[in-house]
Amino acid sequence: MLRTGASIRIVAPAARAREAARSSYARAIKLDVKRGVAHRKLGDVYAWNGQTDQALIKYGDALLLNPRAPVPHTWISANVTPQQCSSYYEDLGKRFLAGNPADKKPAAVFAWYCAAAATACKKFTKAESLYEAAIQLDPAFRKGYYYA
């Protein structure tokens, strides 16, 4: 059993380490805004600190740079309602495509996660059309039906 003094000695260094990590990743983003891993890792720090809105922003920034970035999609869907999740991925997909990327295939990721959220909302017709949109953007997403 930890004494109060012992728990303070553990918690305080952890808080300092989280703040140092937050500061370092924020500095890394200022140095190279197109480095997606810094956005993702800053999102992780915000998630660990319970700052869901900030985490979602940074994960979104990472996904806009690389839609296949290894962000914690499961954490995202667990920390927002299915409706919010659907809106989140729909907005990211629109923002990604608004940048007029040469390769539109990566946008399939957003369509697929938006479809998964629509399924969770029991909006099956919308989900089906979104799964089809993902396949149209990237035929490799045909196997997505297996996971849906």
Side-chain angles (χ1 to χ4, degrees):
M1 182 167 143
L2 287 174
R3 296 181 317 272
T4 302
S7 66
I8 290 172
R9 285 192 301 269
I10 294 170
V11 172
R16 284 193 299 274
R18 284 194 308 271
E19 179 52 31
R22 189 207 58 74
S23 178
S24 293
Y25 290 127
R27 194 170 339 115
I29 291 167
K30 285 183 182 177
L31 292 172
D32 186 359
V33 74
K34 294 193 183 278
R35 176 102 16 160
V37 70
H39 290 280
R40 180 175 51 88
K41 290 300 204 174
L42 184 53
D44 289 343
V45 172
Y46 285 136
W48 294 327
N49 287 330
Q51 297 170 295
T52 302
D53 291 342
Q54 293 89 337
L56 291 171
I57 290 167
K58 297 320 299 174
Y59 290 145
D61 290 345
L63 287 167
L64 289 171
L65 291 169
N66 175 11
R68 291 190 172 98
V71 301
H73 295 284
T74 303
W75 180 90
I76 292 169
S77 63
N79 284 277
V80 297
T81 67
Q83 294 85 356
Q84 290 169 322
C85 192
S86 180
S87 296
Y88 178 75
Y89 286 111
E90 184 176 353
D91 178 60
L92 288 174
K94 287 178 183 176
R95 289 171 53 200
F96 178 79
L97 291 171
N100 202 20
D103 183 9
K104 297 191 183 334
K105 279 185 176 182
V109 171
F110 302 121
W112 194 89
Y113 280 104
C114 193
T119 300
C121 293
K122 300 188 184 326
K123 295 181 180 178
F124 301 116
T125 303
K126 181 179 180 180
E128 183 178 21
S129 68
L130 287 163
Y131 284 125
E132 289 297 325
I135 292 167
Q136 290 299 314
L137 288 163
D138 185 351
F141 274 76
R142 287 188 198 286
K143 63 184 175 193
Y145 280 121
Y146 175 79
Y147 298 103

